[in-house]
Amino acid sequence: MSRSRKRPRLSSDDLPLDSQNVRGNSSLSQRKGDRDGHFVFMIGENLTPRYKIIRKMGEGTFGRVLECWDRENHDLVAIKVVRSIRKYRHAAKIEIDVLNLLAKNDCANSHCLQIQGWFDYHHHICIVCEKLGPSLFDFLRRNRYCPFPVDLVRDFGRQLLESVAYMHELRLIHTDLKPENILLVSSECLNVPIHKRTSYRCSQDDRKFRCLPKSSAIKLIDFGSTVFENQHHSTIVSTRHYRAPEIILGLGWSYPCDLWSVGCILVEFCLGEALFQTHDNLEHLAMMEKLLGPLPEHMIRKVSSQAVKYFKRGSMLNWPDGTTSRESIRAVRKLDRLKDLIYRNVDDSRTILSNLLSGLLKYDPNERLNAHDALNHPFFLNG
Ligand SMILES: Nc1ncnc2c1ncn2[C@@H]1O[C@H](COP(=O)(O)OP(=O)(O)OP(=O)(O)O)[C@@H](O)[C@H]1O
């Protein structure tokens, strides 16, 4: 997967706070932040006297996530050390509020990352959380994008929908659901034999075994883009591959955009790789039409002035247009109808799974399944 999967969100043009004449120990400030405002550290160093840095677990737009030893609780924790840039600090405070709200109302089935606390360290906001395992994207990548068996897709889908239902009950919209933001609770895995019949994609090379998670327990992370339903919504949200059509068409968005993302994620679990591998709006819409049929006219009639250019004669997608590359035409042609895609890649529960997916991938957000209805779908009830 060569194309970037990162969601363009806050641009990184601001200077780090430690180069903005913030009062304090300048030599320490310089050592603690690099030019992008990322926290610079050494393994074994202390992050306050309480936490000892063990290793880096991940890095994102907002900061670095470090595995640390908590000397007070004698436990390992994950600490997100946010970049020392004003807008990221501001976003981190919102993320802390969301994490606290999620923790306050927590029920057994929330499947959301648990916050333990936070502190400010040399202009870096540090969010202390439970330590989890690899993301489902990392897991797929390490297994050469070998798809998950359908029973695991069901377990992951159920938990993911439970966490989305929980957030929506609290009037929160995650807006950035993607395999990178779904973490296995445990890193333990099992080596299992690959059956040629059941896993076509995995059996394309000479490997006889594949790795599967020992436990299917997952948790949702990264609430840095979460918004309250009644708050200001920026026009563009979500990482490209998981972005709902109403966002691309500038029609406004709400809770259903999370369910579209869940649909894309579940297909990805069945295929091993992202469903919509594109970075271009027109190509993205063409891929959707190849998979799901034509966009509804009533949506096309209301598109924003920026999106009008994607259509001709008022109702037809203007694709391919004069600028479409051969590579793009090939990428769209490669896609099948959703049902055929699922039939080609999944062995069990295909009919019921493709029915669930078409409910999650409804163009019209008003017709799309909500999280509760999706959880009551026969794919989950009969599995
Ligand atoms: N609690 C945790 N336990 C283990 N690893 C974690 C944890 N939290 C985050 N990570 C790792 O760190 C990575 C970055 O974390 P996170 O997504 O919160 O940062 P971000 O800066 O908001 O990222 P993005 O740019 O993708 O939004 C994750 O993809 C994951 O691999």
Side-chain angles (χ1 to χ4, degrees), residues 32 41 55 58 75 84 97 108 131 154 158 178 189 195 197 246 254 270 276 297:
K32 293 292 176 199
F41 64 93
R55 68 180 175 108
D75 202 4
S84 60
D97 288 345
K131 185 204 142 194
R154 185 182 288 111
R158 184 186 290 119
K178 55 181 175 178
C189 63
H195 299 296
R197 193 184 57 80
E246 64 270 23
S254 185
C270 298
F276 297 115
E297 275 188 38

Side-chain angles (χ1 to χ4, degrees), residues 12-27:
S12 55
D13 50 359
D14 293 16
L15 283 172
L17 284 179
D18 48 17
S19 54
Q20 288 181 13
N21 285 334
V22 174
R23 269 182 291 155
N25 181 336
S26 61
S27 60

Side-chain angles (χ1 to χ4, degrees), residues 259-374:
L259 278 306
W260 177 275
S261 305
V262 173
C264 298
I265 293 168
L266 296 188
V267 178
E268 183 165 340
F269 291 165
C270 298
L271 307 185
E273 55 182 36
L275 174 59
F276 297 115
Q277 295 192 38
T278 177
H279 285 282
D280 174 79
N281 279 342
L282 185 59
E283 186 183 76
H284 198 165
L285 293 170
M287 286 178 163
M288 287 181 188
E289 288 209 333
K290 186 79 198 298
L291 191 83
L292 306 164
L295 283 149
E297 275 188 38
H298 72 273
M299 286 177 74
I300 297 174
R301 260 185 263 124
K302 290 188 231 141
V303 300
S304 68
S305 52
Q306 279 96 331
V308 169
K309 61 176 180 284
Y310 304 132
F311 298 91
K312 61 186 170 195
R313 280 180 254 122
S315 64
M316 270 177 66
L317 197 64
N318 187 18
W319 191 92
D321 67 7
T323 62
T324 309
S325 67
R326 261 197 245 148
E327 189 204 1
S328 172
I329 291 174
R330 260 200 302 273
V332 174
R333 196 178 292 149
K334 211 175 72 181
L335 272 171
D336 274 336
R337 298 285 300 185
L338 179 63
K339 199 171 168 195
D340 298 332
L341 199 65
I342 297 304
Y343 269 63
R344 232 174 358 98
N345 287 278
V346 180
D347 281 293
D348 297 319
S349 316
R350 297 189 289 202
T351 311
I352 206 74
L353 173 58
S354 48
N355 182 279
L356 167 71
L357 295 170
S358 28
L360 292 169
L361 295 173
K362 281 264 182 277
Y363 284 126
D364 186 339
N366 298 315
E367 290 176 17
R368 205 169 296 152
L369 286 176
N370 66 33
H372 274 293
D373 292 342

Side-chain angles (χ1 to χ4, degrees), residues 12 14-16 18-19 30 33-38 40 83 85:
S12 55
D14 293 16
L15 283 172
D18 48 17
S19 54
Q30 272 158 22
D34 70 14
R35 274 169 28 138
D36 301 324
H38 271 299
V40 176
R83 288 160 73 181
I85 290 177

Side-chain angles (χ1 to χ4, degrees), residues 208-253:
K208 299 215 166 22
F209 289 89
R210 62 165 303 183
C211 185
L212 284 177
K214 201 164 174 184
S215 156
S216 61
I218 51 167
K219 291 220 177 183
L220 193 57
I221 66 156
D222 193 0
F223 303 92
S225 308
T226 296
V227 290
F228 274 97
E229 204 275 330
N230 61 0
Q231 259 177 355
H232 168 74
H233 289 21
S234 44
T235 322
I236 300 294
V237 285
S238 306
T239 298
R240 159 64 73 183
H241 308 316
Y242 310 93
R243 190 173 293 156
E246 64 270 23
I247 303 172
I248 299 172
L249 298 175
L251 297 171
W253 51 268

